[in-house]
Amino acid sequence: MMFAVATSAEGGHPDQGSSEAPDMYWGTRRPLAKTKTLAMKNFQLASRQPAIDGDESIALLKLWWNIVLRPTATFQWVIRETPPACLNDTSLGTHCYVRIKESGLRFHYVAAGERGKPLMLFLHGFPEFWFSWRYQLREFKSEFRVVAIDMRGYGESDLPLSAESYRFEYLVTDVKDIVEYLGYNRCCLVGHDWGGTVAWLFAIHYPEMVTKLIVLNCPHPSVFTDYALRHPSQLLKSSHFFFFQLPRFPELMLSINDFKALKALFTSRNTGIGRKGRWLTAEDLEAYLYALSQPGALTGALNYYRNVFSSLPLSQNHVRSPVLLLWGERDAFLEQEMAEACRLYIRNHFRLNIISGASHWLQQDQPDIVNTLIWTFLKEGEGRKSYRN
């Protein structure tokens, strides 16, 4: 197997009983005004570094050349009207819907495994949907009730129009409402990328509802904030956070040339799935394009970014559930140093696994290794019986 156990600590932070928020791992918390100033300085530093590698430079040149030569074709894209067969694969589970009374939103999810078994809830990242968990749905349905949701604004779930509707508190409440609707008062929570951010936040605010927390390629939000402010290289890798604040233009750029940028995100040499693992098949890619080509889909996905600056820094930070953090060594968007820094905020068992050669899209890129590491973590401590209500 090509993975390395980077760290394993039973005790977490030594200050188990303290309710005071500790200093940041990379330094003490700063007032918001100073934080913004530091962010701007580091962004300016980052902008002086080579921001575009050879492949991206060529891609930009090709784009401008296409606009000059074929402006009509460049600004065309196809809305996929028929879902590919892989989205109706019965081995993945049953498609279900729930309307949450409090928010009024309807959520789509795919569920497998016997009702009444411990709940394992999956939260996807950007720009994905429930399908990103296909390998885990098949793997864990033998002992869990596995549920992969389309988060608000994604897939077949409702798409609130207002960017304000994607604030952190609403995203966290969605998870709570869905867990309770499914008939549970706790779950094993698994999140990747943006789903990882929401999973961290849910574990912070509802510790009694999280038996174990599993996060893939997503640092604790406070670690990300402080590290990015102090490391121009990470701020540069996160420059899309700033670009996505613009209205409409990011949606256009992700759509032109029939969603060429999205295709490259999943398949390119630098950022794509399958460097040393499983390649994204043509049908898999078409599944993503089906979901993201629907009217308003890109806006819903981008609205997560359009609220991030108003939600940070966090007022609460501590995670009291056991945590497994899985990290792809060759993540093109997040620097690995942030992974170990997450330890500061965990008041329980913490295990970090760095997976050699894996990309940002960890659960799709190296599903066998990911599944093995999750099973190992689930068997630690109290064992699987601890998941039953």
Side-chain angles (χ1 to χ4, degrees):
M1 284 195 177
M2 300 191 64
F3 64 85
V5 178
T7 63
S8 177
E10 294 294 336
H13 192 277
D15 183 19
Q16 294 287 343
S18 173
S19 61
E20 296 296 324
D23 287 345
M24 295 291 188
Y25 186 85
W26 302 101
T28 55
R29 186 186 298 276
R30 295 172 177 269
L32 186 57
K34 292 183 179 179
T35 295
K36 290 180 178 178
T37 301
L38 182 57
M40 183 57 66
K41 288 180 179 177
N42 274 343
F43 188 72
Q44 291 170 349
L45 286 172
S47 65
R48 296 171 192 157
Q49 299 178 9
I52 302 174
D53 64 23
D55 289 344
E56 291 169 330
S57 299
I58 293 172
L60 286 174
L61 288 173
K62 287 182 177 179
L63 171 61
W64 288 111
W65 190 244
N66 284 334
I67 291 174
V68 172
L69 294 182
R70 298 182 300 166
T72 302
T74 299
F75 292 99
Q76 286 184 349
W77 51 88
V78 177
I79 297 175
R80 276 66 174 172
E81 297 184 358
T82 304
C86 60
L87 293 183
N88 294 314
D89 184 348
T90 56
S91 71
L92 297 176
T94 303
H95 291 260
C96 308
Y97 300 85
V98 53
R99 185 170 296 280
I100 302 301
K101 185 176 181 180
E102 289 75 9
S103 67
L105 297 180
R106 189 185 79 154
F107 289 88
H108 167 256
Y109 63 94
V110 173
E114 294 180 20
R115 296 178 185 272
K117 284 191 173 183
L119 176 63
M120 180 179 283
L121 186 67
F122 296 94
L123 308 178
H124 64 79
F126 171 89
E128 301 174 285
F129 64 121
W130 73 266
F131 185 67
S132 68
W133 298 109
R134 56 196 178 281
Y135 297 112
Q136 288 67 46
L137 289 171
R138 292 192 185 101
E139 177 71 20
F140 295 100
K141 67 182 180 181
S142 61
E143 295 200 31
F144 290 86
R145 177 66 171 171
V146 290
V147 174
I149 68 173
D150 281 337
M151 298 173 70
R152 69 163 65 193
Y154 279 94
E156 295 183 54
S157 291
D158 279 352
L159 195 163
L161 296 178
S162 169
E164 181 72 15
S165 299
Y166 296 82
R167 290 180 59 87
F168 281 176
E169 57 262 38
Y170 300 134
L171 304 176
V172 170
T173 301
D174 288 344
V175 177
K176 180 177 182 290
D177 290 341
I178 290 170
V179 170
E180 292 176 343
Y181 167 82
L182 293 170
Y184 293 83
N185 54 36
R186 55 182 178 167
C187 67
C188 173
L189 188 60
V190 188
H192 168 251
D193 187 80
W194 261 104
T197 297
V198 176
W200 282 114
L201 294 170
F202 186 79
I204 290 169
H205 291 282
Y206 296 100
E208 73 283 358
M209 297 185 71
V210 181
T211 54
K212 289 196 174 184
L213 176 65
I214 301 170
V215 178
L216 288 74
N217 280 80
C218 178
H220 186 291
S222 293
V223 170
F224 175 78
T225 303
D226 201 55
Y227 184 91
L229 290 175
R230 294 174 176 273
H231 293 79
S233 56
Q234 178 57 57
L235 198 64
L236 182 63
K237 290 180 179 179
S238 303
S239 58
H240 57 285
F241 278 65
F242 300 93
F243 175 63
F244 289 164
Q245 303 307 308
L246 299 173
R248 300 186 180 88
F249 187 62
E251 285 91 332
L252 173 65
M253 296 306 293
L254 291 173
S255 301
I256 60 175
N257 274 337
D258 196 28
F259 305 100
K260 187 173 182 178
L262 290 175
K263 294 175 185 175
L265 186 65
F266 288 117
T267 62
S268 72
R269 183 183 65 185
N270 290 334
T271 66
I273 298 170
R275 289 188 182 119
K276 294 182 68 175
R278 302 196 185 189
W279 293 98
L280 197 70
T281 68
E283 188 178 37
D284 292 341
L285 180 59
E286 195 59 30
Y288 281 102
L289 296 179
Y290 169 77
L292 294 166
S293 68
Q294 303 307 309
L298 287 174
T299 298
L302 292 170
N303 278 342
Y304 282 68
Y305 290 92
R306 289 165 178 159
N307 274 286
V308 69
F309 295 121
S310 64
S311 301
L312 294 171
L314 302 181
S315 59
Q316 299 180 53
N317 294 289
H318 299 163
V319 176
R320 304 193 182 277
S321 307
V323 177
L324 170 65
L325 178 57
L326 301 179
W327 201 276
E329 180 190 33
R330 298 184 64 187
D331 191 315
F333 310 102
L334 298 168
E335 295 186 357
Q336 186 174 308
E337 288 76 9
M338 288 187 286
E340 176 61 31
C342 295
R343 181 188 305 278
L344 178 66
Y345 297 103
I346 298 165
R347 299 294 188 266
N348 206 312
H349 172 62
F350 174 56
R351 178 175 291 278
L352 167 63
N353 291 103
I354 308 297
I355 301 181
S356 175
S359 71
H360 177 75
W361 320 100
L362 194 54
Q363 74 272 29
Q364 302 176 75
D365 189 56
Q366 300 277 6
D368 295 336
I369 294 175
V370 166
N371 293 346
T372 297
L373 291 171
I374 291 176
W375 276 125
T376 300
F377 177 67
L378 294 175
K379 293 175 184 178
E380 292 176 343
E382 297 178 284
R384 296 175 191 173
K385 291 183 179 179
S386 66
Y387 293 90
R388 298 199 178 277
N389 292 319

